[in-house]
Amino acid sequence: MKNYIFIAFLFPLSVFSQEKVTGKITENINNKEVSLAGANVYWLNTQVGTVTDFDGNFEIAYKPEYKKMVISFVGYKTDTISVNSPKRITHSLTSTANLDEVTVTARQKATSRSFIQATNVLNVSSEELLKAACCNLAESFETNPSIDVNFSDAISGTRQIKMLGLTSPYILITTENVPSIRGASQAYGLSFIPGTWVESIQITKGAGSVTNGFESIAGQINAELQKPTLDDKLFVNAYGAGNGRFELNTHLNTKVTDRWSTGLYIHGNMRDTEFDKNDDSFLDAPLMQQVNVMNRWQYTDTENGYVGFFNVRFLNDEKQTGQTFFDPEKDRGTTDAWGSEIKTQRFDISGKFGFVNPDIPWRSGGLQLAYSHHNQESYFGINDYNIQHNSLYGNFLYNTIISDSRHKIKTGVSATYDSYDELVLTENFSRVENSVGAFFEYNFDNLGDLNFTAGIRGDIHNRLGAFITPRFHLRYTPWEKSAFRISAGRGKRSANIFTENQQLFATSRDLKILGNGGEIYGLNPEIAWNYGASYMQGFNLFGRRGDVTFDFYRTDFKNQIVVDWENPSEINFYNLDGESFSNNYQLEFNHNPFTHFDVRLAYKYYDVETTYLSGKKQNPLTPNHRFFANASFQTHQTQKGGNWKFDATFNYLGEQRFSGSENYLNTIGLSEFSPSVSTLNAQITKVFSSNFEIYVGGENITNVKQPNPIVGSDTPFGTTFDTTYVYGPIFGSSYYAGLRYRIN
């Protein structure tokens, strides 16, 4: 019952089945039972069933006439067991690839896709996050082919992510399904969530669920945080890198009472060493320091069906970059030296409350509340930019079934309030946005070859007006070990043009808004439709499991705020007048060729075009081709739990178009397209026991560097100064080491 309540709350409005019998489904790996997520559990000759969660747990209704329980999973032998009373069951499935062997060698993947869900969701576990130096959420996608990671400019050290060829503002980024990286935090917010705080990540391609709002266009990234009752009592992670970066993370968790547990999560990082390897007089990486503290409380009342999480967090983040001889005390606001400081303070508080009716367990409800205060004060050379953002969010959700567990519904209401106050150069912009909406979502699952979800929500927004947001997802299984999915959905959002494009301040360009009387900066909101199709096929090759997936997603903008960099002396913002779209094709191959060795290969093709004032063109700094390869291997565990782990990731990016005319690009030493770029990252981890491990690794081991990433670096206050022509690594190779210590 306890685990069920966790799932009911941690995945708000996920599907709730009837339950009287609880249990856990596992697989045996080297005489150790490992959780099996996504297994089907249902009563023989009925339509009553459920699916195991990420930890292998399930709950299902029980009646005296239910005698036989069927447990199945693609690639495993289907088992039918007798159940004569409501009780807890633990059952281990056997891989079909190993039925004739004495030892079962199948194992759980660090990343997984479900053959069962209607949505195209990739689950990334904490085990996957340990394969690279993911010091924050922005760096957690280095081993994932679905997300592209690159630097947004040549000075701030900020990593920008893309999905389906679109930048992060078009992705709904949530923390435990509460929108978190939005508004003022859009540019740097991913670096404000430490990697060790993240328990798992769910990446949804295409239109998401209507329960999470109307803003999602390209997809959703949800980060689940560590839980005080499940996290280690003590966890320490220390990290140091050759680029001068040092980090320390500490988790302290304790059980206060039978129902209350709390965790204190402390993160600090700093870089106080200057690097200028390309001798352009600018720092290759910013000087920085961050203190990030969160206190998390968890309440669990299994008897009455209540669960709650309460978080309070404070962040102070400071960055200084620019020329190596820049002194902020005397040079700020002058043209004696070019420099920049970005100082951010953030306070947020949130609560999640869930209830499962003990007498009618398929009925449940949840309430999510969040408040944040974000204040950023910054300057880039002689360009000032400050923003203060106060945000309130509330969402109430209710789940039930119609007739039986094949028909499930979710419904609820949500409300948002956002107050913005911006200083852009010398001009002030302020506004308030608020909205109230209601949603309804129906899911049909015949526990076989068909599963679909149809949702709709209606919202009234003080600046976007009244509008409807439909979303649809369908999964069909034409034959064994397959999943064919289609999806479609609409998204609408107000663009925060300055905070989402802060790299523009580190240029000499003039900013111009070509407004048309719209409600936000004189511009109309962005509206887009996303359509997608995906086919996944599992297979056994040489007796080993694998799968191959092909995705196609298209995003069509009905209206977009175009950020036009084509004029070398200006950056123009205006509403789309013409066509803007993104086509994304991805082919991914996963295989386990031998014990403890996994290979992941992916190829992506992007076709992203926008109509600018100068005509329809390929979006700048978006490669048409990307190739990705990841290999991981670990040795057998010793009796104390020790072993070795080896991981390597290769990325190839094809040529990328630079904005501007060919004549202008020639004058600043650039061609129309960038060269292709290949990088290699690797990490070795030595696990001494379940309590202690050390790791060493390298990023960009091949030492690929973009020459002269800053245009006009010798005259930073001149007419050609620009830090945004970044297509590859700036720093070159960097090596790091760290340790992890835990007390369970």
Side-chain angles (χ1 to χ4, degrees), residues 566 614 616-624 654-676 725 727:
E566 300 304 312
S614 54
K616 189 166 73 171
K617 298 180 180 180
Q618 176 184 335
N619 279 23
L621 297 176
T622 302
N624 288 122
E655 62 180 20
Q656 305 171 52
R657 187 183 76 85
F658 289 124
S659 60
S661 66
E662 187 174 356
N663 289 336
Y664 172 73
L665 293 172
N666 288 336
T667 64
I668 61 175
L670 295 175
S671 302
E672 184 179 1
F673 290 91
S674 74
S676 60
Y725 285 98
Y727 63 87

Side-chain angles (χ1 to χ4, degrees), residues 226-231 253-254 261-263 265 296-298 309:
Q226 299 285 358
K227 314 300 185 293
T229 57
L230 301 177
D231 194 15
N253 295 283
T254 185
S261 297
T262 186
Y265 299 81
R296 184 161 165 82
W297 289 81
Q298 179 175 346
F309 289 89

Side-chain angles (χ1 to χ4, degrees), residues 1-2 4 18-25 41 43 50 57-64 66-69 71 80-91:
M1 181 66 176
K2 179 179 179 181
Y4 177 73
Q18 303 180 37
E19 57 88 34
K20 290 295 182 181
V21 174
T22 65
K24 185 169 187 175
I25 306 304
V41 180
W43 295 109
T50 187
N57 297 310
F58 74 91
E59 291 179 335
I60 189 170
Y62 172 79
K63 292 182 179 180
Y66 298 159
K67 300 297 184 182
K68 300 290 185 179
M69 177 182 288
I71 305 169
T80 302
I81 61 176
S82 298
V83 180
N84 298 315
S85 63
K87 59 184 178 180
R88 180 168 179 81
I89 296 170
T90 300
H91 186 79

